[in-house]
Amino acid sequence: MISVICGGVGAARFLRGLQSIVDPHDITAVINTGDDVVMHGLSISPDIDTITYTLAGAIDPQRGWGLVDETWTAMANLSRFAAVRPAASRAGETWFNLGDRDLATHLYRTARLAEGASLTQVTGEIAAAWNLGVRLLPMTDERLETRVEVVGEGEISFQEYFVGRRHSVAVSSVRFAGADVAVLTGAARRSLLDAAVVVIAPSNPLVSIGPIRSLAGVDELLTARRSSVVAISPIINGAALKGPADRMLTELGYESSAVGVARLYAPICSTLVIDQLDAHLAPAIESLGMRCIVTDTIMSTPEIAADLARSTLAAAA
Ligand code: FO1
């Protein structure tokens, strides 16, 4: 059994590679829910959605989120109400795009949560509806919300930062509201304890992996089994392939490099997989007490993702 600690796009591509080389039923994904947001009264879990759609082969390949062949009729029709919406109202907002096909997922999730189902149950049902073999688990069934302090603006939600501001504003701090109350689910805990190998996917260490690590006991659990925890650096040649991880690391006082990632993960993880472009950083990473594996980590094709998964599992063996 392999347990993968996941954010969104990078994790989804890694899982797609992994499920092509091992039985998908032997893979569990423990997924960040700090990005979750309520829009139009609908419960949206972006990282769970991205992983579900990617593993189903239904993700939009250009955007990296949402469904392929999407239409946007519902969104377009919301603009009718812009002129009549009272100033203080958030009804009918259109800055966060929900495609017509994607809406079905959020309608189903919201209705099941309202019936009293847990996010773990609903995520399993949605994964089953897409015939996924990989087991998808939200990190928690409680609300934990990633909040971002933007320079000159104050605190906003993660999606207001990521989508609303196109993550192009400087950040001075990040916090995980509710982390003192939210708990890692029992299923996620068992997966992280029982797996032969735990992989930390190439996701943003601060706002994708960070929320999972903020849950009580997670760092302790990983530290206790550190020798079989392997991470893949999402930073290549000093930059993130997608998203704001590089700028965020710098803005929050970390180094935007595979070495910076190694410093964050050294207490919980024995091995870091880095890209060939960063091969010269291997000695600096090893001096932190980690093994360093150098390979191609840019998952531009399913074959490269499969090779990366193979190297990652070999590194853990
Ligand atoms: N990302 C965007 O950049 N713009 C959007 O309008 C947007 C809508 C959206 C709707 C549903 C969903 O599941 C994901 C969506 N995402 C959108 C992606 C998502 O917000 C981010 O990629 C992640 O939160 C970062 O991991």
Side-chain angles (χ1 to χ4, degrees):
M1 198 62 78
I2 301 158
S3 189
V4 185
I5 300 179
C6 296
V9 177
R13 291 192 179 146
F14 177 76
L15 286 168
R16 189 171 53 188
L18 188 61
Q19 75 169 6
S20 73
I21 63 156
V22 302
D23 182 348
H25 296 94
D26 284 340
I27 306 169
T28 300
V30 176
I31 308 171
N32 170 43
T33 56
D35 295 13
D36 289 14
V37 63
V38 174
M39 297 293 303
H40 319 287
L42 298 175
S43 297
I44 299 156
S45 296
D47 286 350
I48 292 174
D49 294 339
T50 297
I51 290 174
T52 303
Y53 297 161
T54 301
L55 296 184
I59 197 85
D60 181 279
Q62 265 75 48
R63 287 194 307 275
W65 57 269
L67 286 160
V68 71
D69 297 330
E70 189 56 280
T71 56
W72 306 92
T73 308
M75 278 280 115
N77 278 271
L78 281 178
S79 63
R80 175 186 302 279
F81 304 105
V84 299
R85 180 177 57 212
S89 171
R90 303 196 69 170
E93 287 180 309
T94 53
W95 59 270
F96 192 80
N97 298 286
L98 297 173
D100 300 330
R101 297 182 65 208
D102 185 34
L103 271 170
T105 302
H106 314 308
L107 289 169
Y108 182 79
R109 178 185 292 121
T110 305
R112 288 288 292 125
L113 292 173
E115 287 173 357
S118 69
L119 186 59
T120 298
Q121 282 175 303
V122 184
T123 301
E125 289 163 9
I126 293 172
W130 284 97
N131 294 315
L132 301 192
V134 176
R135 185 171 185 220
L136 306 191
L137 297 176
M139 62 182 195
T140 183
D141 284 326
E142 276 104 1
R143 192 75 190 103
L144 178 150
E145 197 191 350
T146 301
R147 309 273 307 167
V148 176
E149 182 82 22
V150 169
V151 176
E153 187 177 354
E155 193 180 78
I156 58 177
S157 75
F158 181 79
Q159 294 302 340
E160 286 170 313
Y161 161 73
F162 192 94
V163 177
R165 310 292 184 277
R166 296 171 199 271
H167 50 78
S168 63
V169 288
V171 166
S172 57
S173 68
V174 168
R175 75 178 178 102
F176 307 119
D180 47 341
V181 179
V183 288
L184 183 72
T185 68
R189 179 174 299 279
R190 273 189 299 282
S191 161
L192 294 176
L193 279 171
D194 297 347
V197 178
V198 173
V199 178
I200 302 177
S203 299
N204 186 320
L206 301 177
V207 292
S208 297
I209 306 302
I212 302 175
R213 293 183 67 181
S214 78
L215 296 171
V218 170
D219 264 21
E220 289 80 354
L221 186 163
L222 295 174
T223 303
R225 58 162 308 163
R226 180 180 181 275
S227 63
S228 54
V229 182
V230 185
I232 302 154
S233 174
I235 301 293
I236 301 172
N237 198 19
L241 290 176
K242 199 172 188 295
D246 44 9
R247 274 176 291 115
M248 249 190 184
L249 281 164
T250 309
E251 287 161 5
L252 297 179
Y254 305 96
E255 189 179 304
S256 175
S257 73
V259 178
V261 174
R263 284 197 193 104
L264 285 164
Y265 289 159
I268 55 166
C269 157
S270 62
T271 307
L272 185 67
V273 179
I274 65 170
D275 194 77
Q276 282 166 10
L277 291 171
D278 290 324
H280 60 286
L281 298 177
I285 290 166
E286 281 161 358
S287 76
L288 295 167
M290 297 178 95
R291 289 176 64 222
C292 186
I293 306 294
V294 181
T295 189
D296 198 352
T297 67
I298 303 177
M299 294 177 279
S300 46
T301 66
E303 293 73 29
I304 296 174
D307 285 343
L308 175 60
R310 221 173 269 118
S311 309
T312 304
L313 294 187

